[in-house]
Amino acid sequence: MRSRSIAWRLALAFAMVCALVLGAIGVFLYRSLAAEIAYRDDLALLGRLEQVRALLADSDSLDALQARPRLYQNMLGNLDSLLLVRRADGSNVIAINPRQRTLPALNSIARDQPPQRRDVMTWQAPDGAEVALLSGEAQGPNGESLTVIAGKVLSEREQMLASYRMRLYVAIGLGALLAFALGLVLLRRGLQPLRQLSEAVRGIDLRSLDQRLPAVGTPAELLEPVNALNAMLVRLEDSFQRLSQFSADLAHEIRTPLHTLLASNGQALNHSRSTAEYQELLASNMEEFERLKRMAENLMFLARAEQAERALDLRTLDLADIGNELCDYFEALADDRGIHLRNTFSGQLFADQQLLQRALGNLLANAVRHADVGSVISLRQRDEPGMCWLQVNNYGPAIEPEHLGKLFDRFYRVDPARAEPGDSGGLGLAIVQSIMQLHGGQVRVSSDATGTVFELGFVVN
């Protein structure tokens, strides 16, 4: 099912908002008009009652008033108004009731009391019409007590309000349709930069990762997403280049031992050799197989670490014991080069013991391999607020600054010619970095004439 476009949805929402706003304004205007008309009708009834009271008080006799009924009909002005003047016995002095409606019993206002709007009563006639009624006591020419009833049928008011309601409905409907149409047109034009951005993104593939989305002329609302996409393209380009370089480095690293194995085995097959020579050849082949095995294991570890497949076995570790075990393990290798190992670790650390030993072991192996003969390799500790730094310090040739930022790349060697059969295949420091990433820590290196220091930073509470 094809989803509706953003322009369609926003235009529909805009139309709904306009309809709600117009509806609210219409309701306000309708209620204001209805209140104004009711106010004017009530004032007319109040004035009519006062006028009839004054007319009764100023007349010479009731018979004279009865003899001139057209006076009251002209005063009322239409058939929807009524006027009744009754004696105390219920007989009518004046009875102008064009539709001959039977009125309900009403509470009359006292003669000395001026009428108020609250005294007007709305009555539902049997024919369904609503009638506004007002009743008040009055005094006749001879002091006779009379009751005056003024009323008006509200059908004209209802017809006017019904017509006004219909116009409001039409206006709201047309306004919503017009808002939808205009909103759709404007939104489609406003979303044109988004379509252009989509075209630019569609044109980027693996062969054009160096392209960037244009930020000049981009609307402010899209500038942040464009910058984020450009930053993502930078990371993708870097990752793709690293992957390509990794593939090339992996092929190169594997080709060397395979070439050695093929050459040595080919020579062995072409020439007869003694048992001792075959044994020496097999031993040499075993070294190459071990090198390939270590490379495969290291690559597997890096792949799992990057996919976060390894669950950390975090526990509280005694750093002094960790340092002593590592020094004991590398003591024989260090003695061969006349290097002394010194452990100054102390305190405790919450980490994965196996991974911590592997990271420090890789750093120690590199330090023993590159340290000056007869020097000292130190395991040091430096505590900062919120961080614990474990250092492996060795004295040897300084690493050039251009190499420091690449040491933790896979298969990277400062001097490829110094590769030895027992090394990690250029993956040792990459493994150290992955271990620290699993722990949420940091790894850094510094090197100058005074020595080289690798640091592992662990977050502590």
Side-chain angles (χ1 to χ4, degrees):
M1 181 178 178
R2 184 178 178 182
S3 60
R4 294 179 178 176
S5 65
I6 295 178
W8 177 276
R9 295 180 181 180
L10 291 179
L12 186 59
F14 183 62
M16 293 177 63
V17 170
C18 288
L20 289 176
V21 172
L22 292 175
I25 295 175
V27 169
F28 172 77
L29 294 177
Y30 175 80
R31 291 184 179 275
S32 299
L33 178 62
E36 182 66 22
I37 295 176
Y39 176 74
R40 291 177 180 271
D41 288 345
D42 291 346
L43 287 185
L45 287 181
L46 297 178
R48 186 169 302 161
L49 177 61
E50 292 290 342
Q51 290 174 359
V52 173
R53 279 178 170 179
L55 182 62
L56 292 174
D58 295 339
S59 296
D60 296 335
S61 67
L62 294 179
D63 294 336
L65 289 176
Q66 289 177 323
R68 294 182 297 170
R70 292 186 177 275
L71 173 65
Y72 312 114
Q73 291 179 353
N74 294 334
M75 179 186 68
L76 295 175
N78 57 67
L79 298 178
D80 288 334
S81 297
L82 56 87
L83 175 65
L84 299 177
V85 179
R86 293 175 177 174
R87 295 185 178 90
D89 57 3
S91 61
N92 293 324
V93 177
I94 299 174
I96 301 177
N97 188 359
R99 306 202 182 266
Q100 300 302 315
R101 292 183 173 89
T102 301
L103 302 181
L106 300 174
N107 295 324
S108 299
I109 305 170
R111 184 173 57 192
D112 58 348
Q113 180 180 349
Q116 303 292 331
R117 286 194 65 196
R118 62 174 178 270
D119 299 323
V120 178
M121 184 192 77
T122 302
W123 171 63
Q124 186 79 32
D127 57 0
E130 289 189 354
V131 182
L133 298 174
L134 178 63
S135 176
E137 296 178 356
Q139 185 176 4
N142 300 322
E144 183 180 1
S145 295
L146 302 173
T147 300
V148 178
I149 300 176
K152 181 177 182 180
V153 180
L154 302 180
S155 57
E156 182 180 357
R157 179 201 301 183
E158 293 300 326
Q159 292 174 0
M160 182 186 301
L161 291 178
S163 176
Y164 188 74
R165 283 197 304 270
M166 182 58 64
R167 294 179 182 181
L168 283 179
Y169 295 151
V170 174
I172 293 173
L174 292 178
L177 289 176
L178 182 60
F180 175 78
L182 292 178
L184 188 60
V185 172
L186 294 177
L187 285 169
R188 285 183 173 176
R189 295 189 63 181
L191 291 175
Q192 183 65 29
L194 189 59
R195 287 191 287 271
Q196 296 174 352
L197 180 62
S198 301
E199 291 294 332
V201 172
R202 193 177 294 113
I204 299 176
D205 54 22
L206 292 179
R207 292 170 294 182
S208 58
L209 288 176
D210 58 333
Q211 296 184 10
R212 298 294 178 265
L213 302 179
V216 179
T218 301
E221 293 79 4
L222 296 178
L223 187 59
E224 185 174 350
V226 166
N227 291 334
L229 286 173
N230 285 333
M232 182 187 68
L233 288 174
V234 172
R235 294 192 297 271
L236 285 176
E237 182 183 11
D238 181 69
S239 299
F240 185 74
Q241 291 178 352
R242 287 176 178 270
L243 181 61
S244 300
Q245 186 62 39
F246 168 72
S247 300
D249 293 339
L250 179 60
H252 176 75
E253 292 293 332
I254 293 178
R255 182 181 60 182
T256 300
L258 290 178
H259 178 74
T260 302
L261 290 171
L262 288 173
S264 60
N265 288 338
Q267 291 179 359
L269 292 175
N270 292 332
H271 304 281
S272 299
R273 297 177 181 272
S274 63
T275 302
E277 290 175 333
Y278 280 120
Q279 290 178 345
E280 183 180 354
L281 175 63
L282 291 176
S284 176
N285 289 347
M286 285 296 297
E287 291 180 0
E288 297 298 332
F289 284 129
E290 286 291 337
R291 182 179 176 184
L292 289 173
K293 178 184 176 182
R294 286 195 300 272
M295 188 182 303
E297 291 176 348
N298 290 336
L299 289 173
M300 183 66 71
F301 175 85
L302 289 173
R304 290 177 177 175
E306 288 185 354
Q307 297 298 325
E309 293 179 357
R310 181 184 177 93
L312 296 180
D313 182 18
L314 299 176
R315 61 182 66 183
T316 301
L317 307 176
D318 188 284
L319 290 177
D321 292 342
I322 296 292
N324 291 332
E325 292 177 4
L326 290 171
C327 289
D328 292 341
Y329 181 81
F330 286 97
E331 184 176 4
L333 181 61
D335 289 343
D336 291 341
R337 303 196 61 201
I339 296 174
H340 179 67
L341 302 179
R342 180 183 302 162
N343 174 35
T344 61
F345 284 168
S346 62
Q348 295 179 333
L349 181 66
F350 192 65
D352 187 301
Q353 180 176 356
Q354 182 181 359
L355 295 184
L356 177 61
Q357 289 176 335
R358 183 164 188 174
L360 290 173
N362 287 352
L363 296 180
L364 271 176
N366 278 346
V368 172
R369 187 177 298 114
H370 298 97
D372 292 338
V373 176
S375 62
V376 177
I377 297 177
S378 302
L379 299 180
R380 300 175 182 175
Q381 180 179 349
R382 183 169 58 86
D383 294 327
E384 294 179 353
M387 292 292 292
C388 175
W389 293 94
L390 303 181
Q391 302 176 340
V392 178
N393 187 9
N394 72 279
Y395 299 93
I399 303 175
E400 297 298 329
E402 62 267 19
H403 297 298
L404 292 178
K406 303 178 181 179
L407 289 179
F408 299 99
D409 294 345
R410 298 175 183 180
F411 300 116
Y412 186 82
R413 293 188 179 92
V414 175
D415 184 6
R418 295 187 59 182
E420 302 175 6
D423 68 4
S424 60
L427 297 174
L429 294 181
I431 291 176
V432 173
Q433 186 179 47
S434 295
I435 290 174
M436 294 310 299
Q437 289 175 349
L438 286 174
H439 282 83
Q442 306 176 33
V443 57
R444 61 191 183 188
V445 58
S446 60
S447 182
D448 52 29
T450 61
T452 300
V453 179
F454 283 87
E455 294 184 289
L456 305 181
F458 292 86
V459 179
V460 294
N461 296 327

